[in-house]
Amino acid sequence: MRNIKRSVKVMLLTPALLLPFLIGRAQVIQEVQNSFNLYKQSALQEKVFVHTDKNTYLPGEIVWFKVFCVDGNDHKPLNLSKVVYVEILDNNQSPVTQAKIAIKNGIGDGSLYVPVSIANGKYKFRAYTSWMKNFSPDYYFEKVITLVNPLRSPDGSPPKETAAAFDIQFFPEGGNLVSGQQSKVGFKAVDKNGKGAAARGAVIDQHNDTVARFQSLKFGMGNFSFTPVGGNTYKAIVKFNGAALTKELPEINAQGYVMKLTDKGAQLDVEVKGPDGNIFLFAHTRQMIKAAEGLSVSAGVAHFNINKNSLGDGISSIAIFNNSKQPVCERLYFKRPGQKLSIAASADQQQYALRKKVNISLAAKDMANKAVLANMSMAVYRVDSLQEVDHSNIFDYLWLGSDLKGNIESPDYYFANATAETDEALDNLMLTQGWRRFQWNQVLENKTPSFSFLPEYKGHIVTAKLVNTQTNTPANGIFAYMGVPGKRVQVYAAQSDSSGHVMFNTKDFYGPGELVAQTNETVDSTYRIDIASPFSEQYSKTALPKFEFVNGMQTALQTHSQGIQILNIYSANNIKKTFDPGADSTAFFGKPYKSYKLDDFTRFTTMEEDLREYVSEDNIVRSKGKFHIKVLNDRGFLDGDPLVILDGVPVFDVNKIFSVDPLKVRKLDVIRERFFYGPSEQEGVFSFTTYKGDLGGVELDPKAVVIDYEGLQLRRQFYSPVYETEAQAASRIPDFRNILYWGPNVNNQDKVSFYTSDQAGKYVGVVQGLTANGDAASQYFTFEVK
C-alpha cells in the first residue's frame, strides 16, 4: 500500500516538473514565429515571369515579350511595382540592350531590338523590379536565349572532353556532415554548359578504402548515404563519359546536428540526431509558417512528424533550431501543386497554304471545366534546326524555378508524371538546391529590415547623389530639381538625405530624351549631381552554356537572315510604329490660375514688355542688373521669386527668361499661390512653353547635368500583313516572316486570326496564361505551312 501511494505521488509531481520545460519550449516557438511574421510583413516577395516570343534571334530582329509580376506567396498578380527592368546580358554580365517596361496590375509587355554588332553566343535574358534589387539576384527572372550573327564566323570545332569540362558538388542533407552520424548526401554533376551529366563514382577515405558508391539518376543528380568518421578525410572519384574527376567532400564536424527526412505517405518523418536537449522545427511555405513544434533530443535522436496536408503547395523549407534559437539544419521539401487552370488552344486546320488565314480557338477553364478569364499571351513561330520549341512555361517557373537558385534543367519533367522515379528525382533536386530568400539571422534580429531600393509604386524613380564639390562629401538637405525638356511639362523636385541621395518620382515618363538635373544655382552653387543607373549591378552566378554552331544550321540561318533583311527593307515603317502611351499631359501644378496664349496679344519685342503689359499676376523688378518676378494675388505679393520653368526645365536666373525672343514662346501658365511640390515650397509658378519645346535658345547653367536618358519604353506594335483579298495575296512584296503572330494580351473571349507568310515549314504556337487568383498554365499547338 505504501508503494502504491509513493507511485501516485510521483505521478502527481511529474506535470509540475514538466511545466517549466513546456512553458520554455512554447516561448521559444512563439518568439521565432513572431520574428518570422515581423520580417514577412516588411519583406514582401515579388516574382517575375517573362514569356518571350521564342529563344533564338538574329541581328535586326525584335525580341517580343510579356511580363507577369506576382506576389511571391500566392502568385496572384501584384499591383505594387509599376516598372520592370529587362536586360540581355553577355557572358561578361555586360548589357547588350536594356529597357524599362511599364506594368499595371502586375502585367506589361515590351520589345528589344537585337543590335547588329552582337557576337554569336548564349545570352542571359533577365527581368526584375526595383524592389527585387533588395534581395539576391539569384531570384531575378532569367532564361537563356541564343543570338546568332550570320556576319560573324562561328567558333572552331568543340574541344575534346576532359575532366575540366565537368564538375560535381555535394550537399549533405540538413547542411552538415557530423562525425559518427549517418547522413544522406545529395550530389549534382554538370558539364561545361551547366547541364546535368551522367556520373557514377565512389567515396574513399585517406586509406583509399571505399566507404560509399553512387550513381546519378536524372540530370546528373543523385544521393548516397555514409557515416563519416572524425579525423578522416574523404574524396570522391567520379567517372563521366570519357573523363574522370576527383573532388573533396565537405568538411566533417566533430559534433552538431544532422537531419533525415522520410516521406511516409500522409506524414513526413523528420529525424534529427545530435546532442541531447531541446530542439525546434519550423516549416514554412513561401513565408507562411505551416508547422512549429518543439521536442527533446533523447539518447541522441528525436523524431518530428509533419502532416503533409498542413504544408502548402510547392517548396517548403524545414528548419531545425537549437535551444538558443540558432538554425542548425535546413531541408527543402516539394509538394506537387494541383493544376487548377487548363488552356486549350488549336488551329482550325493542321495544314495551310502560303498567305492563308489561320484561326485560333482559345479556352481557359478551371478544374470544374468552367470557363475562367485568364490574362494570356501567345506567340506563333517557325521551328527548324536553328529555332527549337521553347519549353519554358509559367506554371513550372512559379512553382519551382522562381524559388531555387541556378538553372533547372527540364522542369516540366517533374510535373509531367508523378512516378517513383520523378519523386526521387524531385527529392534530389531539393537536396541539391538552396532556398535562401532570406537569412535566419536577419529574421531573428527582430528589427525592421532596411532596404536600399523602394518599390516603384507610382512610376519610374530616377535616383541621384548630391556631392559638395568643395569637400567632395555627400550633401545633406539640399533641394534638387530635374526636368525633361519638351512641350510637356515634366519637372520633379527632391531633397537630399544624409547620404546625399535624392529620388525623383516621375509620372508617365516615356520614351527617349534628355534629363536636366540641377540645384538652385542662386543659393546652392557648390554641388554636383550624379545620376545613377536604375539597372541592377548584382548578378547571379549561373554560367551561360557555350554556343556551338553545327553544319545543319546553315540553311536555316540563311533563311532566317534573308527573312529579317526583307522585313526591314520592305516594312521598316510598319515595324517602327508604337502605341500612344496615354500619358497625362497635365503639368505637375494641375490647372493653372491663368494661361496666357501669347498669340492672343500684340507682341512686343521683349519678354519683359510682354510680362509687364499683359500679365496681371506679376510685378517685374530689376535690382543690380538682376530681374525678379513678384507674384501678386488677392492678398498681396508673395515672398521671393516663383519657380520659373521653360519647356519643363527650371530656370533660376530670371535674366535668361527675359533674353528669350517672345516670338518663340507659345504660352505662359501662372500659379499665383504659394505652391508645395514634394519637399519644396515655391512662391508661385511661372511656366513658359515655346513652340518647338527647345528652350528657345536659353543656355543652361554649366553646372547642370544634362544626360540622355530612356524613360519607360513606348510599346511597339507587332506588324503582321493581311491577305484578305486576292489583290493583297497577289502582292509582289515578299513576306518571309518566321514569327507569324505575337499577342501579349489575349483572352478566351478573343478571336485570334493571322496570315501565313511565304515561309513553308512547321509552326508552333505557345500560350502562357495567369488568372487573377494566381492559377497559371501554358499550352502548345502546331500546324504546317506548305
Side-chain angles (χ1 to χ4, degrees), residues 226-493:
F226 91 114
T227 305
V229 177
N232 285 5
T233 58
Y234 299 92
K235 59 184 177 182
I237 308 298
V238 192
K239 292 185 178 180
F240 302 93
N241 183 21
L245 177 67
T246 301
K247 194 72 176 279
E248 299 290 333
L249 260 66
E251 182 182 354
I252 312 300
N253 297 315
Q255 58 182 1
Y257 295 87
V258 298
M259 70 184 296
K260 178 183 178 182
L261 184 146
T262 305
D263 192 336
K264 293 189 173 181
Q267 298 279 332
L268 295 178
D269 176 71
V270 180
E271 179 187 78
V272 180
K273 291 183 177 181
D276 287 358
N278 292 340
I279 59 171
F280 305 89
L281 176 145
F282 291 88
H284 66 91
T285 308
R286 297 186 304 281
Q287 294 197 98
M288 293 179 284
I289 292 180
K290 299 297 183 179
E293 187 179 351
L295 286 178
S296 289
V297 177
S298 178
V301 65
H303 283 267
F304 295 93
N305 289 306
I306 304 175
N307 188 330
K308 287 165 64 172
N309 290 332
S310 67
L311 297 177
D313 289 342
I315 295 176
S316 293
S317 174
I318 302 171
I320 305 296
F321 291 76
N322 62 17
N323 201 41
S324 300
K325 297 193 300 184
Q326 296 174 324
V328 293
C329 292
E330 190 172 20
R331 170 69 149 88
L332 303 184
Y333 175 77
F334 189 84
K335 180 181 176 182
R336 279 192 176 86
Q339 182 83 49
K340 298 179 181 178
L341 176 69
S342 64
I343 296 175
S346 61
D348 57 348
Q349 298 175 210
Q350 282 302 300
Q351 192 175 103
Y352 299 89
L354 304 179
R355 301 193 178 190
K356 294 299 180 182
K357 190 173 186 178
V358 180
N359 297 304
I360 304 297
S361 60
L362 289 171
K365 297 182 179 180
D366 61 16
M367 296 308 294
N369 208 33
K370 292 183 178 179
V372 293
L373 187 63
N375 195 303
M376 297 183 287
S377 53
M378 186 174 79
V380 180
Y381 55 91
R382 185 174 180 265
V383 290
D384 51 31
S385 59
L386 190 65
Q387 173 60 62
E388 299 177 344
V389 178
D390 182 4
H391 288 287
S392 60
N393 70 75
I394 188 171
F395 182 86
D396 295 354
Y397 181 78
L398 292 181
W399 285 111
L400 198 58
S402 61
D403 287 333
L404 295 176
K405 293 182 179 181
N407 179 53
I408 300 175
E409 191 173 345
S410 301
D412 52 326
Y413 164 80
Y414 303 103
F415 296 100
N417 295 294
T419 64
E421 181 181 286
T422 55
D423 286 345
E424 184 179 353
L426 191 52
D427 196 55
N428 288 333
L429 178 64
M430 295 298 104
L431 279 171
T432 56
Q433 297 273 354
W435 200 91
R436 298 291 184 274
R437 284 188 176 270
F438 57 82
Q439 299 292 333
W440 274 108
N441 58 350
Q442 299 175 355
V443 175
L444 299 175
E445 286 179 350
N446 286 331
K447 295 179 181 178
T448 302
S450 59
F451 298 110
S452 301
F453 303 96
L454 294 178
E456 295 178 302
Y457 182 69
K458 293 185 177 180
H460 176 50
I461 298 176
V462 178
T463 59
K465 186 173 183 179
L466 260 68
V467 177
N468 189 316
T469 56
Q470 295 181 342
T471 62
N472 203 31
T473 57
N476 180 26
I478 304 301
F479 286 102
Y481 301 85
M482 186 186 79
V484 182
K487 296 180 180 180
R488 177 174 160 237
V489 178
Q490 297 180 79
V491 177
Y492 308 96

Side-chain angles (χ1 to χ4, degrees), residues 674-735:
R674 183 172 287 113
F675 190 86
F676 295 89
Y677 186 41
S680 66
E681 179 181 344
Q682 308 296 338
E683 300 297 317
V685 179
F686 271 45
S687 178
F688 298 85
T689 304
T690 66
Y691 287 97
K692 295 183 178 181
D694 60 356
L695 302 178
V698 168
E699 292 187 5
L700 297 173
D701 177 51
K703 295 178 182 177
V705 176
V706 183
I707 63 169
D708 293 328
Y709 198 92
E710 185 93 21
L712 300 178
Q713 186 183 75
L714 294 168
R715 293 178 59 232
R716 193 191 303 259
Q717 298 182 31
F718 180 80
Y719 171 65
S720 180
V722 174
Y723 301 115
E724 284 186 351
T725 66
E726 292 185 5
Q728 290 173 329
S731 170
R732 298 181 62 185
I733 297 177
D735 179 6

